[in-house]
Amino acid sequence: MKIVILLGPPGSGKGTQAKRLQQTFGLAHLATGDMLRAEIASGNALGRRVKSIMDAGELVPDHILVALIRSRIARPECRHGFILDGFPRTVPQAEAFDRLIAEEQLPRPIVIEFTVFEPELVNRLSGRFTCQTCGASYHDHFHRPRVEGMCDFCGGHEFVRRADDQPEAIRTRFRAYREQTAPLLDYYKRTGDIPLEVDGMADIDGVTRQIEAVLGGVAQR
Ligand code: AMP
């Protein structure tokens, strides 16, 4: 049973890497942003409540996220462990998660920090789009589909861009990261779950290799 927390600013590659690790290590991928976007797509009360907050790039209230994670980790697909992508994002969320770990007698998390060069992330975020059918990620400059307008994986023709990948929302998301999420790096030093650094500016395969090395090393202890 492994719990992995990926910590890094928007666009640092957490989602891309989590999808790969999920396969290699047989861990569930819990991406809170994806969960909330699914609530919005289903048009339920929670989705209606969080949509404008998310579109603006602000953080959704802690208690909503803690309840979401609590119900998710009880599911069978999490029994071998899970990767948290986008949670915790504030110190109160981390404290609530620690209480949950203690209650459920789960192992301490392995915290991975993506170190980045922030100006480059704005370019990554502002060009990205995904296949509406299978969720594969693309980018206007760095990674276009092999055949223009057609998904490499599923052949889909519909693509979507996130509302919060617009310049103003991007600025708000970085501010939220600096002010509310970056303090978690110190928080996890205090709890003894010292963040393990990977170079988030390396290419996708390079980052995967670094994480695999880091996780392999932890498993052997
Ligand atoms: P992401 O897909 O991780 O970039 O998340 C997109 C948006 O979902 C964020 O900008 C927040 O509005 C919301 N969100 C996702 N995870 C959290 C969280 N742990 N705490 C608060 N808001 C969150």
Side-chain angles (χ1 to χ4, degrees):
M1 169 71 165
K2 263 193 188 36
I3 299 177
V4 180
I5 294 177
L6 302 183
L7 269 185
S12 56
K14 302 185 297 293
T16 303
Q17 296 299 331
K19 287 192 189 102
R20 292 178 157 209
L21 295 174
Q22 176 183 28
Q23 286 161 4
T24 319
F25 292 93
L27 303 171
H29 175 198
L30 305 187
T32 45
D34 290 348
M35 291 177 200
L36 293 170
R37 280 185 288 276
E39 301 286 343
I40 293 175
S42 79
N44 64 21
L46 174 59
R48 287 197 299 278
R49 179 156 177 221
V50 300
K51 183 175 186 324
S52 58
I53 302 177
M54 286 179 67
D55 284 354
E58 283 157 12
L59 293 185
V60 170
D62 291 333
H63 68 94
I64 294 181
L65 272 299
V66 173
L68 208 57
I69 287 294
R70 178 184 280 279
S71 70
R72 272 311 163 104
I73 66 176
R75 291 191 185 176
E77 70 260 24
C78 289
R79 68 182 178 279
H80 299 305
F82 48 89
I83 306 163
L84 291 171
D85 161 12
F87 179 93
R89 244 179 168 97
T90 65
V91 170
Q93 288 180 20
E95 288 167 347
F97 184 59
D98 277 348
R99 287 193 292 274
L100 195 56
I101 287 179
E103 267 167 41
E104 303 292 328
Q105 300 185 328
L106 298 172
R108 290 301 306 169
I110 301 163
V111 181
I112 298 185
E113 176 193 357
F114 288 58
T115 60
V116 295
F117 177 60
E118 201 179 288
E120 176 60 26
L121 298 185
V122 179
N123 297 333
R124 282 195 191 177
L125 290 169
S126 49
R128 68 183 185 175
F129 58 97
T130 53
C131 169
Q132 190 163 30
T133 313
C134 75
S137 326
Y138 296 97
H139 193 281
D140 290 332
H141 305 299
F142 309 131
H143 179 207
R144 299 192 66 85
R146 279 194 291 272
V147 177
E148 196 58 39
M150 189 172 94
C151 176
D152 295 350
F153 298 93
C154 74
H157 292 286
E158 298 295 325
F159 296 91
V160 284
R161 287 176 194 265
R162 283 172 49 167
D164 62 354
D165 280 343
Q166 304 302 321
E168 200 182 326
I170 290 176
R171 277 194 292 278
T172 306
R173 288 159 67 202
F174 278 123
R175 195 170 57 240
Y177 182 80
R178 275 194 300 269
E179 291 174 3
Q180 292 176 269
T181 310
L184 291 179
L185 295 168
D186 276 336
Y187 175 86
Y188 283 117
K189 285 179 195 148
R190 289 198 298 276
T191 58
D193 311 298
I194 319 257
L196 305 162
E197 285 183 24
V198 299
D199 173 12
M201 302 318 287
D203 62 24
I204 296 179
D205 288 341
V207 180
T208 306
R209 279 194 297 274
Q210 288 181 54
I211 298 178
E212 285 174 357
V214 154
L215 287 182
V218 172
Q220 282 155 18
R221 278 216 291 267

